[in-house]
Amino acid sequence: MSPLCESYLKREQLNEMEPFYPLHVFVCSRCFLVQLEEFVSPDHIFTEYAYFASFSESWLDHCRRYTDEMRDRFGLDRNSLVVEVASNDGYLLQYFVQKGIPVLGVEPAANVAKAAEEKKVPTLVKFFGKQVATELARGERRADLLVGNNVLAQVPDLGDFVAGMKILLKPEGVLTMEFPHLLKLMDENQFDTIYHEHFSYFSFLTAQKIFEAQGLELFDVEELTTHGGSLRIFGRHAEDSSKPITQRARQLADREHAAGLTNLDTYHSFSERVKRTKRELLRCLIRAKDEGKSIVGYGAPGKGNTLLNYCGVGRDLLDYTVDRNPYKQGRFTPGAHIPIHAPDKIRETRPDYVLILPWNLKQEIMQQISFIREWGGKFIVPIPEAAVLD
């Protein structure tokens, strides 16, 4: 049982009833889509959202490189249109704007869409699907490049969403989507990336089936290091023969077959590894506390809230956490009620250990707060297994 991972609390809410929902993961025995049961509507989750993508420098660097690569590979210019669904605060489209390439964002969270507009990224505040795609296509706003980063997992009706991409994409247009790779999630025990806001978890094989069902074909794929290991898939209309299927797309499909992603036994073995990591993390934290050491967190990401609530880590083990996002500062994490401060708090209190909750950004974070070594402070990384790093 777990609260919604982005439902940060104000102080006056701490003694109020807080809803928890089952966090149980299922896998389809036919298509092998890994998914959660839907307990809360997307409207409830995403109308006002606490995640602003622009607070990670390494993620922004990733987006700058993507912009250059797509412009060069597909010849994008001022006569093109780049559309991003779930465009957040304009973190990506701002770089196309800087290069003089027209853009449009589609983002359901009004509070983050406002931040995008301030970056001169025109943004439509709606949930994307067939209806919105049809409206845009009628207005001759079809996309040369259609982008969706870390959104596919958050879509409860995959058929409607992907059908909308089919409608909005120009006849020879290209779509790219990035999402955490299920193979990495399982190989590296990244169980904390499972939370209610993510309805589905994808292998390349399953993504192929989802897009093929709507008349779109995946012709290329890149394996990325972002978010603990992600895929960037490239799609086109099935009738567009100008972009042949690449060798690396065929090779990844073969690797996933060989790794057992079309075998239910592979999925059954995952839960035991999750339980073992929970025990290891708790042993690490309890040992430090028994030795009289202080422990604080860095970051208040969604994945961190899955970790804290599943492992039962509260104020008895973690004094506080910090986050660069002002929206979260002064609030408390859902469920565990860990107070969230600005990063300067770490220098003020000089903790013995810092638990890095967004472990996928550990190198960036260890560099940002390397000053903890001045007083002998150390880092704890919880995933894939609990480990102390100097």
Side-chain angles (χ1 to χ4, degrees):
M1 300 295 293
S2 185
L4 298 179
C5 75
E6 295 285 347
S7 55
Y8 299 91
L9 304 175
K10 298 177 182 178
R11 183 174 295 277
E12 59 268 25
Q13 296 175 296
L14 291 178
N15 292 328
E16 296 177 3
M17 186 277 293
E18 187 175 5
F20 280 57
Y21 304 92
L23 190 55
H24 297 163
V25 195
F26 300 88
V27 59
C28 174
S29 59
R30 289 190 300 161
C31 73
F32 295 96
L33 175 64
V34 173
Q35 55 197 303
L36 302 183
E37 189 174 354
E38 181 185 342
F39 290 99
V40 186
S41 72
D43 288 358
H44 180 76
I45 296 173
F46 298 115
T47 301
E48 181 174 357
Y49 202 46
Y51 178 70
F52 289 70
S54 292
F55 287 103
S56 168
E57 290 299 330
S58 61
W59 179 243
L60 293 179
D61 288 341
H62 171 79
C63 295
R64 289 188 195 99
R65 291 193 300 273
Y66 170 87
T67 303
D68 290 336
E69 291 168 11
M70 297 304 106
R71 178 196 59 184
D72 296 344
R73 181 172 177 179
F74 299 114
L76 302 174
D77 57 25
R78 60 187 177 85
N79 297 311
S80 308
L81 177 63
V82 178
V83 178
E84 183 180 14
V85 294
S87 50
N88 200 261
D89 61 359
Y91 71 100
L92 169 64
L93 292 181
Q94 63 180 331
Y95 299 118
F96 286 101
V97 170
Q98 290 171 12
K99 296 180 187 304
I101 300 171
V103 304
L104 175 67
V106 182
E107 168 57 51
N111 62 319
V112 291
K114 181 180 178 183
E117 293 280 359
E118 291 169 359
K119 296 183 176 78
K120 304 191 185 309
V121 174
T123 305
L124 181 64
V125 183
K126 288 189 176 182
F127 281 96
F128 182 78
K130 284 196 294 187
Q131 181 176 341
V132 169
T134 301
E135 292 170 4
L136 290 173
R138 283 177 185 155
E140 297 186 354
R141 304 187 80 179
R142 298 181 74 186
D144 296 276
L145 176 64
L146 182 54
V147 188
N149 287 344
N150 301 302
V151 59
L152 199 60
Q154 298 174 332
V155 175
D157 189 343
L158 288 169
D160 179 77
F161 185 86
V162 178
M165 301 192 88
K166 171 76 174 175
I167 293 167
L168 192 56
L169 191 65
K170 284 184 180 177
E172 293 193 352
V174 172
L175 68 86
T176 74
M177 304 207 78
E178 296 180 21
F179 47 81
H181 190 190
L182 178 64
L183 183 61
K184 280 284 189 180
L185 186 157
M186 297 180 69
D187 279 351
E188 299 184 8
N189 202 27
Q190 300 171 2
F191 68 89
D192 58 341
T193 59
I194 296 170
Y195 36 83
H196 297 104
E197 286 84 342
H198 285 178
F199 298 106
S200 306
Y201 305 82
F202 302 92
S203 64
F204 184 61
L205 291 168
T206 297
Q208 280 182 316
K209 294 177 182 177
I210 291 166
F211 282 83
E212 285 172 4
Q214 303 300 334
L216 295 164
E217 188 161 30
L218 303 187
F219 66 90
D220 197 8
V221 63
E222 293 180 27
E223 296 181 74
L224 310 172
T225 59
T226 52
H227 298 285
S230 298
L231 296 182
R232 177 187 292 153
I233 57 173
F234 294 76
R236 55 164 168 76
H237 290 286
E239 56 272 22
D240 176 10
S241 60
S242 65
K243 305 171 188 69
I245 296 175
T246 64
Q247 185 65 19
R248 61 183 173 184
R250 300 182 197 279
Q251 289 174 343
L252 180 57
D254 291 342
R255 276 175 44 215
E256 289 189 346
H257 275 296
L261 292 191
T262 54
N263 184 334
L264 286 179
D265 290 340
T266 304
Y267 300 89
H268 291 153
S269 64
F270 180 63
S271 63
E272 287 305 315
R273 295 171 55 207
V274 173
K275 294 172 187 174
R276 185 169 63 247
T277 297
K278 171 180 179 174
R279 295 191 295 266
E280 289 172 353
L281 177 60
L282 286 174
R283 270 195 293 267
C284 178
L285 298 178
I286 291 169
R287 186 185 307 116
K289 278 295 187 181
D290 285 346
E291 293 172 355
K293 306 295 186 182
S294 57
I295 311 170
V296 306
Y298 190 103
K303 61 165 62 76
N305 293 322
T306 291
L307 182 87
L308 296 175
N309 284 290
Y310 173 67
C311 295
V313 176
R315 293 284 300 276
D316 53 339
L317 294 174
L318 203 63
D319 299 341
Y320 63 83
T321 191
V322 302
D323 200 279
R324 296 176 67 191
N325 184 347
Y327 181 92
K328 298 178 183 179
Q329 294 167 11
R331 301 194 181 211
F332 296 78
T333 65
H337 295 181
I338 306 293
I340 306 169
H341 298 285
D344 291 346
K345 185 77 170 178
I346 290 178
R347 193 181 285 277
E348 292 174 20
T349 61
R350 298 167 67 92
D352 298 298
Y353 292 96
V354 176
L355 174 64
I356 300 178
L357 293 170
W359 46 262
N360 54 302
L361 302 175
K362 66 181 180 182
Q363 297 302 330
E364 177 181 338
I365 291 166
M366 290 172 70
Q367 185 173 9
Q368 285 174 4
I369 58 170
S370 60
F371 57 79
I372 73 167
R373 298 188 179 97
E374 295 172 9
W375 59 81
K378 296 182 178 180
F379 297 96
I380 300 174
V381 180
I383 301 292
E385 296 177 352
V388 177
L389 305 177
D390 290 326

